[in-house]
Amino acid sequence: MNMNELTQTARFTVLIGKNGAGKSSLLRTLSSEVNLNIKYVSPERGGTLKYDPNVDNNIASNPDWTRVTRQTNRFDQFRQQSAALFRNLELSVLREIAKNRASKEDFGATLDKISALLPAVKLVSSNTGFAVHTKVGNLVDENSLSSGESELIALAIEVLVFAYQPGAEKLLLLDEPDVHLHPDLQQKFVGFVERVAIEHNLRLVIATHSTAIIGAFAKGSDLQIVPISNRDQRDFKPFQRSEVAEEILPIFGAHPLSTAFNKMPVILIEGDDDRRVLEQVVRSSKQRFAVSPCVVGDKQSLRVWEDWLNQFLPVLYDSPKAFSLRDLDGGNQTPIDDVGCVVRMRLNCYAMENLLLCDEVLSAHGFNEATFHTALVDWIAKSPAHKYVAAVQALVDDFSARRTIDIKDVRNIVVDVLQSKQPWEVILGQTIAAKVATVSAAPNSLRVYLGAKMVNQLFNC
């Protein structure tokens, strides 16, 4: 699907990729399309947010001047342009109010929409268009505004001017609106843009490095995310935000090109039990073993998200690596191929809880294979009416094969027999952190239960 087609498939499109991948070039190419109602807002928005009559005169005398000056990444009078365009916004809003005689709004309501984005200042009308005051009414000099405040005001004016512009099929292109904005202000701005876009029926394309921008869109928004890998890319494959994507994306940090991901790579897992164990490994090892577990649900979903990560990560990082982990269940520990940058692993025991029966856990609680077997037999004798007594009996009868037996129903009974007061996930997380580096070839050792690939690739042992 090419980019022109892509912009018609969703109201909101977010382009994400490394510096130099060609996001800005794509937006500028879109902005040059003829017979389309398009506005491009360039990324490096320089200048001072104050009215300049010379800038106003350039806009009035040359309708194409604003568009031409924004075809480069930086224009040093961008904010002066925004301040001059504010007068157009006021006229457009007042005309709209005049058309709708039943409306009780005035232009102050539009100023309030912009002021709501700003935590410490507000906009008020003035002879030159607008002035900036503190929330308690003191005038603020334009040169005293923070970069973030100037950025938000300029962006809000640009969005509203375009929203009130006449015409159909409007397409707004915002290049890195996150520049100079703290993540909470990014979220406020996205909420503002969403409301304006829906109210005025325009489509929006954003190029960004910020996952805070992506995460700020309301649930259920008509949103697609498009990875951009290089300048020569012509075929684009969007994906929609989902619960798993929302869990994965924050792992990258507010700025996905930060080092957060490579310090704590994501590991896709089937369920919350695995997540709790791995989170305990991270805590108990004091981040010597550092991963970010992400629950996807089942083996079928694992493959979908392995492919997704393999498509997405190389767009954002050089030499990325991620992991995925499957239970052995009733299968065999046969080799499992990686999917590009995603290292795929399979436990060498039925499921994570089977690690409760490895030598290291038993030993840490004062047992060996024989004494724990005896303790299970004693438990059966004392609890003949327990609903899981048959499952415990099955474990006792085939105790030498405990690595590959399903013990999910009896894992808390195992913890009780171990005489531990900790949750089983904590027991396993602490044991892995403390003992995974200890070499043992015993058939029921921790390293055998984890499997060689997990020991070598995930824990580097």
Side-chain angles (χ1 to χ4, degrees):
M1 188 181 299
N2 65 42
M3 188 54 65
N4 280 317
E5 294 169 335
L6 207 58
T7 60
Q8 300 303 311
T9 61
R11 182 179 294 278
F12 304 109
T13 300
V14 175
L15 311 182
I16 192 163
K18 290 185 284 192
N19 289 329
K23 301 185 300 298
S24 295
S25 297
L26 271 173
L27 293 187
R28 284 195 288 270
T29 299
L30 280 173
S31 71
S32 65
E33 294 287 332
V34 296
N35 301 323
L36 289 175
N37 199 349
I38 296 177
K39 180 172 188 172
Y40 172 60
V41 176
S42 52
E44 295 293 332
R45 297 171 284 274
T48 303
L49 192 67
K50 65 186 295 184
Y51 176 75
D52 183 333
N54 293 322
V55 170
D56 198 4
N57 182 60
N58 286 336
I59 294 173
S61 61
N62 182 359
D64 212 31
W65 179 70
T66 302
R67 184 189 65 80
V68 171
T69 56
R70 295 181 178 187
Q71 288 303 300
T72 58
N73 278 349
R74 180 176 180 83
F75 178 57
D76 288 332
Q77 290 186 309
F78 185 99
R79 291 175 182 168
Q80 286 94 321
Q81 287 179 339
S82 299
L85 289 171
F86 181 84
R87 291 187 165 192
N88 294 346
L89 171 62
E90 185 171 9
L91 287 172
S92 297
V93 173
L94 292 176
R95 287 193 190 108
E96 194 70 24
I97 292 171
K99 287 180 184 177
N100 183 7
R101 297 185 182 278
S103 174
K104 295 182 179 180
E105 281 195 11
D106 58 18
F107 186 62
T110 301
L111 291 176
D112 290 343
K113 290 176 184 178
I114 300 175
S115 297
L117 298 171
L118 305 161
V121 297
K122 63 182 179 181
L123 263 63
V124 297
S125 293
S126 74
N127 293 333
T128 57
F130 68 89
V132 181
H133 288 191
T134 65
K135 294 293 187 184
V136 295
N138 297 321
L139 180 66
V140 178
D141 183 78
E142 300 94 338
N143 294 305
S144 299
L145 289 172
S146 72
S147 295
E149 289 169 334
S150 295
E151 193 76 8
L152 266 179
I153 295 169
L155 284 171
I157 292 171
E158 297 285 338
V159 170
L160 288 170
V161 167
F162 186 60
Y164 280 97
Q165 182 176 307
E169 298 296 322
K170 288 186 283 189
L171 180 63
L172 176 61
L173 311 174
L174 295 180
D175 205 340
E176 298 189 16
D178 47 289
V179 173
H180 300 304
L181 299 184
H182 191 271
D184 65 338
L185 294 183
Q186 294 177 35
Q187 292 186 346
K188 280 189 174 184
F189 177 70
V190 169
F192 165 79
V193 171
E194 270 196 285
R195 291 189 294 273
V196 172
I198 292 169
E199 180 182 350
H200 294 271
N201 193 28
L202 56 89
R203 294 184 181 274
L204 175 69
V205 181
I206 295 177
T208 184
H209 295 294
S210 174
T211 53
I213 290 283
I214 298 172
F217 281 91
K219 288 186 183 297
S221 290
D222 185 13
L223 169 68
Q224 60 184 354
I225 303 163
V226 185
I228 307 297
S229 57
N230 61 74
R231 294 178 186 274
D232 297 325
Q233 187 174 346
R234 294 295 179 267
D235 185 28
F236 303 95
K237 297 179 180 178
F239 65 90
Q240 276 64 47
R241 196 176 63 180
S242 67
E243 289 183 5
V244 177
E246 287 180 0
E247 188 166 350
I248 290 175
L249 287 171
I251 292 168
F252 302 138
H255 190 299
L257 302 182
S258 68
T259 59
F261 176 81
N262 286 327
K263 286 183 177 178
M264 295 190 70
V266 67
I267 177 169
L268 304 174
I269 49 180
E270 293 182 48
D272 283 320
D273 295 340
D274 300 334
R275 177 181 57 80
R276 287 190 287 268
V277 171
L278 291 171
E279 287 176 345
Q280 185 62 50
V281 172
V282 174
R283 288 192 293 271
S284 296
S285 69
K286 297 181 179 178
Q287 294 200 354
R288 182 165 50 95
F289 304 125
V291 290
S292 297
C294 178
V295 177
V296 300
D298 54 36
K299 284 184 173 63
Q300 290 72 29
S301 298
L302 272 175
R303 186 53 200 261
V304 170
W305 286 99
E306 287 164 348
D307 290 337
W308 185 89
L309 281 177
N310 186 47
Q311 175 195 356
F312 189 75
L313 294 184
V315 171
L316 298 179
Y317 304 100
D318 295 324
S319 305
K321 180 182 279 190
F323 301 91
S324 67
L325 179 65
R326 290 159 167 73
D327 293 339
L328 182 64
D329 293 332
N332 298 315
Q333 183 60 292
T334 53
I336 180 170
D337 294 333
D338 298 336
V339 176
C341 65
V342 182
V343 178
R344 302 166 78 210
M345 304 170 295
R346 183 186 287 122
L347 282 170
N348 195 33
C349 56
Y350 190 93
M352 190 69 79
E353 55 263 23
N354 289 65
L355 293 167
L356 287 167
L357 301 172
C358 73
D359 294 341
E360 287 80 355
V361 172
L362 298 183
S363 176
H365 292 82
F367 293 94
N368 58 31
E369 181 174 345
T371 57
F372 191 73
H373 183 271
T374 299
L376 287 174
V377 172
D378 291 344
W379 183 91
I380 292 171
K382 294 174 184 176
S383 310
H386 195 284
K387 66 176 181 177
Y388 290 130
V389 68
V392 177
Q393 185 64 60
L395 174 60
V396 167
D397 292 343
D398 204 10
F399 196 64
S400 62
R402 60 191 180 274
R403 178 176 63 83
T404 55
I405 294 175
D406 181 0
I407 67 163
K408 184 172 184 176
D409 288 341
V410 301
R411 61 194 181 190
N412 289 323
I413 296 171
V414 170
V415 172
D416 183 47
V417 175
L418 286 170
Q419 300 178 22
S420 175
K421 300 201 179 292
Q422 293 180 311
W424 69 270
E425 300 95 334
V426 173
I427 295 172
L428 296 188
Q430 291 176 343
T431 302
I432 292 170
K435 298 295 184 180
V436 71
T438 303
V439 177
S440 173
N444 288 291
S445 70
L446 173 68
R447 288 167 68 103
V448 168
Y449 277 44
L450 292 173
K453 191 171 185 180
M454 186 174 181
V455 170
N456 295 333
Q457 296 279 353
L458 189 64
F459 297 116
N460 295 314
C461 294

